[in-house]
Amino acid sequence: MKSEHWAITATILAGLSLAGFFAAPKLLGGPPRDAETLCRKSGPVGHTLILVDKTDPWSEVQAARLKKLVKDVGEALPADRLMSIYVFKDVFEPNFPPLLALCNPGRTVSELIGNPRRDYVRWVEKFGRPLDEALTVLAQPAKGNLSPIVEAIGDVMARRENRVPSGDRALLLVSDMLQNSPQFTVFGNSPGARDPERLRRLVGKTWTEADGASWRLQVHQVRGVYDAARLEQASALWQQAFRALNIPFAWDRL
């Protein structure tokens, strides 16, 4: 009886091992992903959105700093998190397309069983190379007459595709912050120019309509072609508006 029992047990174990052998490639291949974004079919886990203002020309030094900023964010991106890059110019067009929208797929094969080098190459092909291509575009000079910063912020934050099902959302805004549109401007001598209350109302309305409370905001102010006094004035106006609206933010100079 014992020998028969052990024979049955051995047969069961062998069957389980064989099933595990055939299931392993599927399990190690990871969850099903979208072919375009590389995100899980169930959705990304967190989102980092980089919004770049290209309405004014940048110096080579500033362009290099931008590339480093984006590169650092991309290299530190956790697995399954979405990173998207949007660029806006002087003519505001609602629903302007992203320059890049990809999840970091991470490693899909165990290093104990698979080939780590092969996995790294796959990651570079699917994530690193498109990021490098996006950085090349970002470094190209541009110039415009208007600077619709608030309009661009509201547009990208409100989009359904940018509302991830789980994880946090972070908005990194790279701009000289010199808003110049029919809604508000930091230029000129009209009654509405540089009016702190007008900017506060505009930002508040935009933030509410775009569900801004669910985003963490980081502003990287670029000097561009303007003098320090003008930039400092714009910085003070924006920060005053954010504080009045209780919008948490981090602010630095790029």
Side-chain angles (χ1 to χ4, degrees), residues 120-195:
Y120 177 75
V121 171
R122 182 182 300 151
W123 185 88
V124 170
E125 287 292 331
K126 290 186 176 182
F127 187 78
R129 186 162 296 170
L131 178 58
D132 287 338
E133 293 172 355
L135 289 173
T136 300
V137 175
L138 288 178
Q140 295 173 356
K143 184 175 175 58
N145 296 320
L146 297 177
S147 188
I149 301 170
V150 178
E151 293 86 342
I153 291 174
D155 184 85
V156 296
M157 289 198 311
R159 298 185 192 187
R160 177 172 297 180
E161 63 266 30
N162 290 333
R163 299 181 180 183
V164 294
S166 62
D168 67 291
R169 289 185 278 182
L171 172 64
L172 280 65
L173 174 60
V174 183
S175 169
D176 57 18
M177 301 307 291
L178 298 177
Q179 170 79 22
N180 184 25
S181 77
Q183 296 194 84
F184 179 80
T185 181
V186 298
F187 299 98
N189 298 311
S190 65
R194 299 183 299 280
D195 179 358

Side-chain angles (χ1 to χ4, degrees), residues 107-123:
R107 296 186 183 275
T108 57
V109 181
S110 168
E111 293 189 13
L112 297 177
I113 302 174
N115 185 331
R117 173 61 185 171
R118 182 185 60 196
D119 299 336
Y120 177 75
V121 171
R122 182 182 300 151
W123 185 88

Side-chain angles (χ1 to χ4, degrees), residues 31-41:
R33 296 184 178 276
D34 180 88
E36 294 296 323
T37 65
L38 305 180
C39 297
R40 292 189 179 199
K41 291 286 189 179

Side-chain angles (χ1 to χ4, degrees), residues 20 41-42 49-50 54 57 85 104 144 158 162 166 170 192 228 231 233 243:
K41 291 286 189 179
S42 57
L49 192 158
I50 302 175
K54 291 293 292 291
I85 301 174
N104 177 7
N162 290 333
S166 62
L231 292 167
Q233 183 182 56
R243 292 191 180 100

Side-chain angles (χ1 to χ4, degrees), residues 28-80:
L28 293 173
R33 296 184 178 276
D34 180 88
E36 294 296 323
T37 65
L38 305 180
C39 297
R40 292 189 179 199
K41 291 286 189 179
S42 57
V45 180
H47 185 189
T48 297
L49 192 158
I50 302 175
L51 179 62
V52 181
D53 176 1
K54 291 293 292 291
T55 59
D56 287 300
W58 294 8
S59 70
E60 291 185 6
V61 172
Q62 291 157 357
R65 289 174 181 169
L66 170 64
K67 290 178 70 173
K68 184 179 185 306
L69 171 68
V70 177
K71 192 83 169 179
D72 289 346
V73 171
E75 290 178 349
L77 198 71
D80 296 319

